[in-house]
Every structure is written in structure tokens, then in C-alpha cells.
Amino acid sequence: MAYTLAFAPFDLYLTVFPALAYLFWTCMPLTPKRGLLRGYLFGLGQFGLGVSWVYVSVHDYGGGGAFGSLLIAGLFVGFWSAFPAIAVYMTAKLPGKQSGRLIFYPLVWILIEYLRGKIVLEGFPWLQIAYSQLDAPLAGYIPLIGAYGAGLLGAISAALLTGIFIRPKSALYLLIGIMSIWFGGGVLKTAEWTRPYGEPLKVTLIQGNISQDKKWLPETRVSTILQYIRMTEAHWDSQVIVWPESAVPAYLPDVYEPFLKPLHQSAKAHQADLIVSVPSYGDAEGEKYNSVITLGRNEGIYRKVHLLPFGEYMPWQPVSGWILEHFNLRLSHFTPGSADQPLLRAGGYPFITSICYEDAFSENALRGLQDAAYLVNATNDAWFGDSIEPHQHLQNARMRALETGRYLLRSTNTGVTAIVSPDGRILKQAPLFTTTALTGTIRPMTGLTPYAWIGDRPVVAFIAALLFLILLLTRSDKMRLFRIDEKCPI
């Protein structure tokens, strides 16, 4: 669990290193089968605490009973816990002395993080090393080599820490290695990869604080929309106003004429732009989209591309469908939007749009970034109540600001609504579970970070190639990280 304490809302970012170091140290002398078990137990601690909010979502707001919710949360934790186990197992299968495995752990760990974060079920990048380091020196590497590159340096730091205990005579050199990595990150944090252009924008983010169990009730629909309209009308002096995900609890055709069209005309009269999240229909029968529209000086629509598995679509049919039906759980069924949608515009500038879960994936923020002046994320974390999920989710969103060198406007229903700077710092933040409007100023940004140019694939390809090269050298007996005969203690 010490690993998970490095992440929000605990933010003890240093704990990730002794946690990983202890795992590496205790697993080096193990057989692959015993390593598999040890890694799985580590994963249960990592995800058992880290994604405990699944139970809250399923039980409190998904309509599941206590037993069914606990079972589904347990299956979720158990599934993702397999990935640390796979990393340990694969490392134990590699050739060389037990102590020599230490050089493989950081490389294999990050490759498995990539598998979990990008590929399986279209990715679940929660609780990856780099996300815990947004306020630490290692964050300086993120605009350069992204979350996986910075995560590798974090894993290497943990491996060097392990080496201090394995070979105390080399402790000074290993400590210098750790300090060099961290010093380099600290220097890079002072670099400015993008630059402002144009005039500052006054922005307002609306946090309606509508309870999830009341949000979609027919009798509360009109009062919910009117509340957002009243809060918006109090801030016509802002150039950009953002509503959270599905702030409008009805489909677009049902509310456009009576509510949104007059609001569009008012926004236009006040020289403002309104960014509204509202579900919409597609051209084909049965197509439903989780959408964001712009009203005011510019009109447009964005349809969510990266849908939430088991929340907005059902993978692993028919098994997953049977489970949800058996436990009487409610589920939305959306269609993914096209990946090549034009950028929306507000405040006179184009921006990158993401809806809820999409802000956990860098590719969504990088697509069209060269033309975008800032980022906008509309989220509804009311599904998770007063759990640690809203804080973790904001941490994920901050990573996108840092990777892209852009301001981020993040409007949520119940929190955490925030304005984030291009270096990932939270400039303003609204309290959880309050009805409020968060107002601030941002600068449109231009230019690209090195990471925005290259993305994740070259970084991960380099890690894989480095692992292969070390394997070749190890097999040819030309390289040993440590030359010791003693067995490593457990």
C-alpha cells in the first residue's frame, strides 16, 4: 500500500521508491512461480487501496447490492493486480544471476505499465509511477519523454536504491546516480517548452454539484438546466464558460430549442463562448454520443472518442453483459466518435476537448495540438462520491497539461474543478461538493514540447530495444550489474 500513498490525495510521492525497491529486492532470489505470487500480492495492495472507489461507484450509484458490488470491485482489483505479477514473473525468467536481474526490473516494469496503460481494454493508466511525481523533480522529464520515460527514471531510481542495500560498498556511486537523475529533472523543470501568444482569456468553470442519484430524474431535469443557466448568466463578463460532463441531463434535440438556443443567443450578445456537455444522437439509428458543444460566437460539436469500458460500452461480451444484468447494474451505451474531428473554438482560439476518462490518455491531448491554444476537460466524478478517485483523476488530467505545455480548464459536476498551468500546477481549485463558479485567467499557448512531437511509441520502443540489448550482452557474458555470491535476503 505504500506504493499507492505516493498518489493523490495522499501525495507522499517519495513512498513509491522504497515500495518498488522492496519489491525488487525481495523478488530477486525467487523462482518465477514464487515471483508471480509475490508480484500479485504487491498488486493487490497497490490496486486494493488505489481503486477502492470502484465499490463506491457500483454500490452507491450503479444500483448494485453489497455482495455484487464487492464481487465486481474484487474482480476489477484482481484483474489489474496481475500486471505487477507479470512484470516480476517475466524478470525472473530472464537469464543471469539473481542479483543481475535488478537491471531488468525497471525496463520490464515500464513495458508492462505500457501494456496496461495503452493496450489491454484500450488502456488503464491509473497508478503509474510518473503520475505520482507531478510535484517532484522527475516531473521535469515529462515534457521531454512523457510519462513512460519519466516512469522509467523513477523505476531506475528504485533499482539504484535497492542496489545500495545489496552492495553497500557501492552505495556512494549508486546514491550519486539517484541524485543525478533527480538533479537533471529539477533543472529541466525550469525549461519553458511552449510560449504564450495573444491576449489573456477570462474563464469561468461551472460546478453545479448535482447529486448523481437525482441528476437524471425527469422531475429534476428542468431545475438542473435552469441552475446552470443562472450560474452562467452571472458570469457573462468571462470570455469562456465551461460546463461539466453531461451537465444537461437530456439529449441535445430535446433541450436545444427551449434552453440552449436562447442561451446561445445570449452568449453571442455578450461576446462570450459557452462550452456545454450534452449527450447527442448520430445520423444512424441507435447512435448515441457523449458530446461537448460550443455556443456563442462559435458553434461546433465534439463526440467522445475514447469510451469508458464497462461504463459507456461493454467489452468481453456476452460474459460482461451477463454479469451486469445479473446484478441489475445500470450502464450507458455510447458510440465512439471519429478520431479526426475538427477542433472546437472558444474565446477566439481552438482547443483540445476531452470528456472525463479521455484525460487519462496522452494521445487524446496530442491529436491536433499544434493548432490548439489550451485544453478543456469536462468530467463527472459524482459516480465516485467522497472517495479518492476525484483526486486521482485530477492528477491524471494535470499530466496532460504538463505533457502539452498548455493551460487546462477542467470543469466537473461535484469536483475537483480546477485551472491547471502548463507546468502541471493547480492554479485554482474549487472545493468538492459545492455549487460554485471558478473564475480565473489563462494565456493561449503555442509551440510543442519535445514529447508532443514524438509521443509514447519511440520512448517505449527505445526501452524495449535497451532491454533486448542488455539481454544479448548478458547472454554473451560481457555484462554483470553486480558480482556477488551472497544470496539476497528476503
Short mmCIF file of all heavy atoms in Angstrom, two decimals, residues 193-233:
data_model
loop_
_atom_site.label_atom_id
_atom_site.label_comp_id
_atom_site.label_asym_id
_atom_site.label_seq_id
_atom_site.Cartn_x
_atom_site.Cartn_y
_atom_site.Cartn_z
N TRP A 193 8.94 25.05 -22.61
CA TRP A 193 8.91 24.43 -23.94
C TRP A 193 7.90 25.10 -24.87
O TRP A 193 7.98 24.95 -26.09
CB TRP A 193 8.56 22.95 -23.80
CG TRP A 193 9.52 22.19 -22.93
CD1 TRP A 193 9.32 21.80 -21.63
CD2 TRP A 193 10.84 21.75 -23.26
NE1 TRP A 193 10.41 21.13 -21.16
CE2 TRP A 193 11.37 21.09 -22.13
CE3 TRP A 193 11.63 21.85 -24.42
CZ2 TRP A 193 12.64 20.52 -22.12
CZ3 TRP A 193 12.90 21.28 -24.40
CH2 TRP A 193 13.39 20.63 -23.27
N THR A 194 6.91 25.77 -24.31
CA THR A 194 5.91 26.48 -25.12
C THR A 194 5.86 27.94 -24.67
O THR A 194 6.44 28.30 -23.65
CB THR A 194 4.52 25.84 -24.95
OG1 THR A 194 4.16 25.83 -23.56
CG2 THR A 194 4.52 24.40 -25.47
N ARG A 195 5.16 28.76 -25.43
CA ARG A 195 5.16 30.19 -25.13
C ARG A 195 3.74 30.75 -25.32
O ARG A 195 2.96 30.25 -26.14
CB ARG A 195 6.13 30.93 -26.05
CG ARG A 195 5.79 30.82 -27.52
CD ARG A 195 6.89 31.36 -28.42
NE ARG A 195 6.51 31.33 -29.83
CZ ARG A 195 6.60 30.25 -30.59
NH1 ARG A 195 7.05 29.12 -30.08
NH2 ARG A 195 6.24 30.29 -31.86
N PRO A 196 3.41 31.80 -24.57
CA PRO A 196 2.09 32.41 -24.72
C PRO A 196 2.00 33.26 -25.98
O PRO A 196 3.00 33.78 -26.47
CB PRO A 196 1.96 33.27 -23.46
CG PRO A 196 3.36 33.56 -23.05
CD PRO A 196 4.18 32.38 -23.47
N TYR A 197 0.79 33.37 -26.49
CA TYR A 197 0.55 34.30 -27.59
C TYR A 197 -0.89 34.81 -27.49
O TYR A 197 -1.76 34.14 -26.96
CB TYR A 197 0.81 33.63 -28.95
CG TYR A 197 -0.28 32.72 -29.45
CD1 TYR A 197 -1.11 33.11 -30.50
CD2 TYR A 197 -0.47 31.46 -28.90
CE1 TYR A 197 -2.11 32.27 -30.97
CE2 TYR A 197 -1.45 30.61 -29.37
CZ TYR A 197 -2.27 31.03 -30.40
OH TYR A 197 -3.26 30.19 -30.87
N GLY A 198 -1.10 35.99 -27.99
CA GLY A 198 -2.43 36.58 -27.89
C GLY A 198 -2.70 37.13 -26.51
O GLY A 198 -1.86 37.13 -25.62
N GLU A 199 -3.91 37.63 -26.33
CA GLU A 199 -4.31 38.25 -25.07
C GLU A 199 -4.81 37.21 -24.07
O GLU A 199 -5.31 36.16 -24.46
CB GLU A 199 -5.42 39.27 -25.33
CG GLU A 199 -4.97 40.43 -26.21
CD GLU A 199 -3.83 41.22 -25.57
OE1 GLU A 199 -3.90 41.47 -24.35
OE2 GLU A 199 -2.87 41.56 -26.28
N PRO A 200 -4.68 37.49 -22.77
CA PRO A 200 -5.21 36.57 -21.76
C PRO A 200 -6.72 36.40 -21.90
O PRO A 200 -7.43 37.30 -22.37
CB PRO A 200 -4.85 37.25 -20.44
CG PRO A 200 -3.73 38.17 -20.77
CD PRO A 200 -3.97 38.63 -22.17
N LEU A 201 -7.21 35.26 -21.47
CA LEU A 201 -8.64 34.96 -21.52
C LEU A 201 -9.19 34.83 -20.10
O LEU A 201 -8.61 34.13 -19.26
CB LEU A 201 -8.90 33.64 -22.26
CG LEU A 201 -8.52 33.57 -23.74
CD1 LEU A 201 -8.76 32.16 -24.26
CD2 LEU A 201 -9.35 34.57 -24.54
N LYS A 202 -10.31 35.50 -19.84
CA LYS A 202 -11.00 35.31 -18.58
C LYS A 202 -11.95 34.13 -18.74
O LYS A 202 -12.77 34.10 -19.68
CB LYS A 202 -11.77 36.57 -18.17
CG LYS A 202 -12.40 36.46 -16.79
CD LYS A 202 -13.08 37.75 -16.38
CE LYS A 202 -13.67 37.62 -14.97
NZ LYS A 202 -14.35 38.87 -14.56
N VAL A 203 -11.86 33.16 -17.84
CA VAL A 203 -12.62 31.92 -17.98
C VAL A 203 -13.38 31.65 -16.68
O VAL A 203 -12.96 32.05 -15.60
CB VAL A 203 -11.70 30.73 -18.30
CG1 VAL A 203 -10.95 30.97 -19.61
CG2 VAL A 203 -10.72 30.46 -17.17
N THR A 204 -14.52 30.97 -16.82
CA THR A 204 -15.30 30.54 -15.66
C THR A 204 -15.70 29.09 -15.85
O THR A 204 -16.20 28.69 -16.91
CB THR A 204 -16.56 31.40 -15.49
OG1 THR A 204 -16.18 32.75 -15.16
CG2 THR A 204 -17.44 30.87 -14.36
N LEU A 205 -15.48 28.29 -14.82
CA LEU A 205 -15.83 26.86 -14.83
C LEU A 205 -16.98 26.66 -13.85
O LEU A 205 -16.86 27.00 -12.67
CB LEU A 205 -14.63 26.02 -14.42
CG LEU A 205 -13.28 26.37 -15.08
CD1 LEU A 205 -12.18 25.43 -14.58
CD2 LEU A 205 -13.39 26.32 -16.60
N ILE A 206 -18.09 26.11 -14.34
CA ILE A 206 -19.29 25.94 -13.53
C ILE A 206 -19.28 24.55 -12.89
O ILE A 206 -19.16 23.54 -13.57
CB ILE A 206 -20.56 26.12 -14.38
CG1 ILE A 206 -20.53 27.45 -15.13
CG2 ILE A 206 -21.80 26.00 -13.51
CD1 ILE A 206 -20.56 28.66 -14.25
N GLN A 207 -19.41 24.52 -11.57
CA GLN A 207 -19.53 23.26 -10.83
C GLN A 207 -20.92 23.22 -10.22
O GLN A 207 -21.18 23.83 -9.19
CB GLN A 207 -18.45 23.16 -9.75
CG GLN A 207 -18.45 21.85 -8.98
CD GLN A 207 -17.25 21.71 -8.06
OE1 GLN A 207 -16.12 21.57 -8.53
NE2 GLN A 207 -17.48 21.75 -6.76
N GLY A 208 -21.83 22.48 -10.87
CA GLY A 208 -23.24 22.50 -10.46
C GLY A 208 -23.54 21.72 -9.21
O GLY A 208 -24.54 21.99 -8.54
N ASN A 209 -22.72 20.72 -8.90
CA ASN A 209 -22.90 19.90 -7.69
C ASN A 209 -24.28 19.24 -7.66
O ASN A 209 -24.99 19.28 -6.65
CB ASN A 209 -22.68 20.74 -6.44
CG ASN A 209 -22.53 19.89 -5.19
OD1 ASN A 209 -21.96 18.80 -5.24
ND2 ASN A 209 -23.06 20.36 -4.08
N ILE A 210 -24.63 18.60 -8.77
CA ILE A 210 -25.90 17.89 -8.87
C ILE A 210 -25.67 16.44 -8.46
O ILE A 210 -24.85 15.74 -9.07
CB ILE A 210 -26.48 17.95 -10.29
CG1 ILE A 210 -26.55 19.42 -10.77
CG2 ILE A 210 -27.84 17.28 -10.34
CD1 ILE A 210 -27.45 20.30 -9.96
N SER A 211 -26.38 15.96 -7.47
CA SER A 211 -26.20 14.59 -6.99
C SER A 211 -26.48 13.59 -8.10
O SER A 211 -27.46 13.73 -8.85
CB SER A 211 -27.14 14.34 -5.80
OG SER A 211 -27.07 13.00 -5.40
N GLN A 212 -25.63 12.57 -8.22
CA GLN A 212 -25.75 11.61 -9.30
C GLN A 212 -27.07 10.84 -9.23
O GLN A 212 -27.65 10.49 -10.26
CB GLN A 212 -24.58 10.62 -9.26
CG GLN A 212 -24.49 9.71 -10.47
CD GLN A 212 -24.26 10.47 -11.76
OE1 GLN A 212 -23.55 11.46 -11.79
NE2 GLN A 212 -24.86 9.98 -12.84
N ASP A 213 -27.57 10.57 -8.03
CA ASP A 213 -28.81 9.80 -7.91
C ASP A 213 -30.05 10.62 -8.24
O ASP A 213 -31.15 10.08 -8.38
CB ASP A 213 -28.93 9.19 -6.50
CG ASP A 213 -28.84 10.24 -5.40
OD1 ASP A 213 -28.57 11.41 -5.72
OD2 ASP A 213 -29.04 9.87 -4.23
N LYS A 214 -29.88 11.96 -8.39
CA LYS A 214 -31.01 12.81 -8.75
C LYS A 214 -30.87 13.42 -10.14
O LYS A 214 -31.85 13.94 -10.69
CB LYS A 214 -31.15 13.95 -7.73
CG LYS A 214 -31.43 13.48 -6.30
CD LYS A 214 -31.49 14.66 -5.35
CE LYS A 214 -31.75 14.19 -3.91
NZ LYS A 214 -31.77 15.33 -2.96
N LYS A 215 -29.68 13.32 -10.69
CA LYS A 215 -29.36 14.06 -11.91
C LYS A 215 -30.28 13.73 -13.08
O LYS A 215 -30.71 14.62 -13.82
CB LYS A 215 -27.90 13.77 -12.28
CG LYS A 215 -27.40 14.53 -13.48
CD LYS A 215 -25.92 14.27 -13.68
CE LYS A 215 -25.38 15.04 -14.86
NZ LYS A 215 -23.94 14.82 -15.04
N TRP A 216 -30.60 12.45 -13.27
CA TRP A 216 -31.36 12.04 -14.44
C TRP A 216 -32.84 11.82 -14.15
O TRP A 216 -33.56 11.29 -14.99
CB TRP A 216 -30.73 10.79 -15.05
CG TRP A 216 -29.45 11.11 -15.74
CD1 TRP A 216 -28.19 11.10 -15.21
CD2 TRP A 216 -29.29 11.53 -17.10
NE1 TRP A 216 -27.26 11.48 -16.15
CE2 TRP A 216 -27.90 11.75 -17.32
CE3 TRP A 216 -30.18 11.75 -18.16
CZ2 TRP A 216 -27.40 12.17 -18.55
CZ3 TRP A 216 -29.67 12.16 -19.39
CH2 TRP A 216 -28.31 12.36 -19.57
N LEU A 217 -33.30 12.21 -12.98
CA LEU A 217 -34.72 12.09 -12.69
C LEU A 217 -35.50 13.11 -13.52
O LEU A 217 -35.13 14.29 -13.59
CB LEU A 217 -34.98 12.34 -11.21
CG LEU A 217 -34.38 11.32 -10.23
CD1 LEU A 217 -34.66 11.75 -8.79
CD2 LEU A 217 -34.91 9.93 -10.50
N PRO A 218 -36.58 12.69 -14.18
CA PRO A 218 -37.34 13.63 -15.03
C PRO A 218 -37.81 14.87 -14.28
O PRO A 218 -37.85 15.97 -14.83
CB PRO A 218 -38.54 12.78 -15.51
CG PRO A 218 -38.05 11.36 -15.41
CD PRO A 218 -37.13 11.33 -14.24
N GLU A 219 -38.15 14.70 -12.99
CA GLU A 219 -38.69 15.83 -12.24
C GLU A 219 -37.63 16.87 -11.87
O GLU A 219 -37.99 17.99 -11.46
CB GLU A 219 -39.40 15.34 -10.98
CG GLU A 219 -38.53 14.54 -10.03
CD GLU A 219 -38.61 13.04 -10.28
OE1 GLU A 219 -38.85 12.65 -11.44
OE2 GLU A 219 -38.42 12.27 -9.31
N THR A 220 -36.35 16.53 -11.98
CA THR A 220 -35.29 17.50 -11.65
C THR A 220 -34.59 18.06 -12.89
O THR A 220 -33.71 18.90 -12.75
CB THR A 220 -34.24 16.85 -10.73
OG1 THR A 220 -33.59 15.77 -11.43
CG2 THR A 220 -34.87 16.32 -9.46
N ARG A 221 -34.97 17.58 -14.06
CA ARG A 221 -34.26 17.97 -15.29
C ARG A 221 -34.31 19.47 -15.52
O ARG A 221 -33.26 20.12 -15.74
CB ARG A 221 -34.86 17.23 -16.48
CG ARG A 221 -34.20 17.57 -17.82
CD ARG A 221 -34.82 16.76 -18.93
NE ARG A 221 -34.70 15.33 -18.66
CZ ARG A 221 -35.37 14.39 -19.32
NH1 ARG A 221 -36.22 14.73 -20.27
NH2 ARG A 221 -35.19 13.13 -19.03
N VAL A 222 -35.48 20.07 -15.48
CA VAL A 222 -35.62 21.50 -15.78
C VAL A 222 -34.89 22.34 -14.73
O VAL A 222 -34.18 23.30 -15.07
CB VAL A 222 -37.11 21.89 -15.86
CG1 VAL A 222 -37.25 23.41 -15.99
CG2 VAL A 222 -37.77 21.20 -17.05
N SER A 223 -35.03 21.99 -13.45
CA SER A 223 -34.38 22.77 -12.41
C SER A 223 -32.86 22.68 -12.53
O SER A 223 -32.16 23.68 -12.26
CB SER A 223 -34.82 22.28 -11.03
OG SER A 223 -34.44 20.93 -10.82
N THR A 224 -32.34 21.54 -12.95
CA THR A 224 -30.90 21.39 -13.15
C THR A 224 -30.40 22.32 -14.26
O THR A 224 -29.41 23.05 -14.10
CB THR A 224 -30.53 19.94 -13.49
OG1 THR A 224 -30.84 19.11 -12.36
CG2 THR A 224 -29.06 19.80 -13.84
N ILE A 225 -31.10 22.31 -15.39
CA ILE A 225 -30.69 23.15 -16.52
C ILE A 225 -30.80 24.63 -16.15
O ILE A 225 -29.90 25.43 -16.46
CB ILE A 225 -31.55 22.83 -17.77
CG1 ILE A 225 -31.32 21.39 -18.21
CG2 ILE A 225 -31.21 23.79 -18.90
CD1 ILE A 225 -32.24 20.93 -19.33
N LEU A 226 -31.87 24.99 -15.47
CA LEU A 226 -32.05 26.39 -15.07
C LEU A 226 -30.97 26.84 -14.09
O LEU A 226 -30.53 27.99 -14.12
CB LEU A 226 -33.44 26.59 -14.46
CG LEU A 226 -34.62 26.48 -15.44
CD1 LEU A 226 -35.94 26.64 -14.71
CD2 LEU A 226 -34.49 27.49 -16.57
N GLN A 227 -30.53 25.94 -13.21
CA GLN A 227 -29.45 26.29 -12.30
C GLN A 227 -28.18 26.63 -13.06
O GLN A 227 -27.52 27.63 -12.77
CB GLN A 227 -29.18 25.13 -11.34
CG GLN A 227 -27.97 25.38 -10.43
CD GLN A 227 -27.73 24.24 -9.46
OE1 GLN A 227 -28.67 23.72 -8.87
NE2 GLN A 227 -26.46 23.85 -9.29
N TYR A 228 -27.83 25.80 -14.06
CA TYR A 228 -26.63 26.09 -14.86
C TYR A 228 -26.78 27.39 -15.64
O TYR A 228 -25.82 28.16 -15.79
CB TYR A 228 -26.34 24.92 -15.81
CG TYR A 228 -25.56 23.81 -15.16
CD1 TYR A 228 -26.18 22.66 -14.73
CD2 TYR A 228 -24.18 23.93 -14.96
CE1 TYR A 228 -25.46 21.63 -14.12
CE2 TYR A 228 -23.45 22.92 -14.37
CZ TYR A 228 -24.10 21.77 -13.93
OH TYR A 228 -23.39 20.78 -13.33
N ILE A 229 -27.97 27.65 -16.14
CA ILE A 229 -28.19 28.88 -16.90
C ILE A 229 -28.03 30.10 -15.98
O ILE A 229 -27.37 31.08 -16.35
CB ILE A 229 -29.59 28.87 -17.55
CG1 ILE A 229 -29.62 27.82 -18.68
CG2 ILE A 229 -29.94 30.26 -18.10
CD1 ILE A 229 -31.00 27.65 -19.31
N ARG A 230 -28.60 30.04 -14.78
CA ARG A 230 -28.47 31.17 -13.85
C ARG A 230 -27.01 31.41 -13.47
O ARG A 230 -26.55 32.57 -13.41
CB ARG A 230 -29.30 30.90 -12.59
CG ARG A 230 -30.80 31.04 -12.77
CD ARG A 230 -31.51 31.09 -11.42
NE ARG A 230 -31.32 29.84 -10.68
CZ ARG A 230 -32.14 28.79 -10.76
NH1 ARG A 230 -33.21 28.85 -11.55
NH2 ARG A 230 -31.91 27.71 -10.05
N MET A 231 -26.28 30.34 -13.20
CA MET A 231 -24.87 30.50 -12.83
C MET A 231 -24.05 31.05 -13.99
O MET A 231 -23.11 31.82 -13.80
CB MET A 231 -24.30 29.15 -12.39
CG MET A 231 -24.93 28.62 -11.10
SD MET A 231 -24.28 26.99 -10.62
CE MET A 231 -22.61 27.44 -10.10
N THR A 232 -24.44 30.70 -15.21
CA THR A 232 -23.75 31.20 -16.40
C THR A 232 -24.03 32.68 -16.60
O THR A 232 -23.12 33.48 -16.88
CB THR A 232 -24.18 30.40 -17.64
OG1 THR A 232 -23.81 29.03 -17.47
CG2 THR A 232 -23.53 30.95 -18.90
N GLU A 233 -25.28 33.07 -16.46
CA GLU A 233 -25.66 34.46 -16.69
C GLU A 233 -24.98 35.41 -15.70
O GLU A 233 -24.84 36.60 -16.00
CB GLU A 233 -27.18 34.60 -16.58
CG GLU A 233 -27.91 33.95 -17.75
CD GLU A 233 -29.41 33.95 -17.59
OE1 GLU A 233 -29.89 34.07 -16.43
OE2 GLU A 233 -30.12 33.82 -18.61
#
